[in-house]
Amino acid sequence: MSRRSGILEFAVLGLLRESPMHGYELRKRLNTSLGVFRAFSYGTLYPCLKTLVANGWLIEEPGNTPEDALAAPLAGRRAKIVYRLTAEGKEHFEQLLSQTGPDAYEDETFAARFAFFGQTSRDVRMRVLEGRRSRLEERLEKMSASLARTRERLDDYTLELQRHGMESVEREVRWLNELIESERAGRDLKGPATAEPDSHDTTSGASGGLPRPGNDPRPDTSDDTAT
């Protein structure tokens, strides 16, 4: 299983732990709440759902809303399927939540892990945040050393791009420092769910004393016709 498919499975299990959903609802939540999945399609989501069902972590149920009841007769459409987390799926997700190794704080996975910090214990949150900070501090050291070696050979535009990259990492390190300080002080992030942290955006909020990544302001333009 690729890392990206593993992240998608993790996110789907986490969202369904909150409540059962249609495939369309899942895709919308993945797009709007977890920006790391903005580019994925139904062609990616449904094979993932089928795999989770085959593993016994999800079950498929017919929709029970009035719209679902009318779906089949209208234009030959079949009723929407609702996906529900099983007890085994909940246990598996909790095991995934407890993991604090490098896969929890790499670039491809940290945003998804952070999105479910509200369901994660404080000690696990701390280890993931500290691991992410350590990884970025190592990256900064390498970037700084590389820039020092090559500065004289770079044109002004390439040099500016290098500086911009370093500033982006530095901003995320400062954001992580604030989060870690708040966790140590026992302050939790309260309020509605937020989007994933963006290393280029350090927007902070006052909720619970923790800096909050900003929500995606773009309207959802998905077509509400998928199963």
Side-chain angles (χ1 to χ4, degrees), residues 88-100 113:
E88 293 80 3
K90 181 179 179 181
E91 181 179 355
H92 178 64
F93 179 69
E94 289 172 351
Q95 291 174 350
L96 295 175
L97 275 183
S98 68
Q99 295 178 2
T100 59
R113 284 301 304 268

Side-chain angles (χ1 to χ4, degrees), residues 132-201:
R132 176 66 176 172
R133 180 177 64 179
S134 177
R135 181 57 51 86
L136 292 182
E137 288 173 341
E138 292 174 2
R139 186 178 301 171
L140 273 176
E141 290 181 8
K142 293 178 181 178
M143 294 172 74
S144 179
S146 175
L147 185 61
R149 290 193 306 268
T150 61
R151 181 187 300 271
E152 300 302 324
R153 301 195 299 270
L154 299 177
D155 62 55
D156 290 343
Y157 291 101
T158 304
L159 184 60
E160 190 60 31
L161 184 62
Q162 295 273 349
R163 288 172 175 164
H164 174 69
M166 290 184 63
E167 289 172 359
S168 297
V169 178
E170 288 168 349
R171 285 197 297 270
E172 186 172 351
V173 169
R174 289 195 296 270
W175 176 71
L176 290 166
N177 285 336
E178 294 175 9
L179 287 171
I180 290 169
E181 180 182 353
S182 295
E183 290 287 348
R184 287 175 176 164
R187 297 194 295 269
D188 290 322
L189 181 64
K190 303 297 182 183
T194 59
E196 84 292 349
D198 182 349
S199 60
H200 299 284
D201 183 3

